[in-house]
Amino acid sequence: MNTTSRILQDVANHYNHLIVEHQKLDKEVERLHTTYQPDHVIKAAKLNKLHLKQEIETIKDNLSAMIK
């Protein structure tokens, strides 16, 4: 496997990991709402989820730019 293939595989693995973590946080935010947790706890989870979403979008944008 050449260096480029390895890099692309690493990026794909990282991207997939971020997607899974984002989905977990989505479920966690739902659980926090339904169990009436304090607002600051819910807000922290939502911020983490937002950061993951931003990282996911950055990877997508960078890959799209590379393809063009």
Side-chain angles (χ1 to χ4, degrees):
M1 182 182 285
N2 67 30
T3 303
T4 302
S5 294
R6 247 182 311 205
I7 291 169
L8 289 174
Q9 186 62 48
D10 288 347
V11 170
N13 288 340
H14 182 63
Y15 178 83
N16 290 331
H17 173 76
L18 292 173
I19 295 291
V20 169
E21 291 304 310
H22 186 267
Q23 290 169 343
K24 286 180 185 176
L25 271 174
D26 192 45
K27 290 177 184 171
E28 178 66 9
V29 168
E30 252 183 64
R31 185 192 68 76
L32 292 170
H33 273 295
T34 59
T35 58
Y36 303 103
Q37 296 302 309
D39 286 344
H40 72 279
V41 173
I42 296 170
K43 184 177 179 181
K46 284 183 174 183
L47 278 174
N48 287 338
K49 186 178 158 193
L50 177 62
H51 289 272
L52 286 176
K53 184 67 172 178
Q54 289 171 333
E55 192 171 349
I56 290 166
E57 291 303 317
T58 298
I59 291 171
K60 283 171 53 176
D61 292 345
N62 289 340
L63 289 174
S64 290
M66 287 173 53
I67 292 170
K68 292 180 181 177

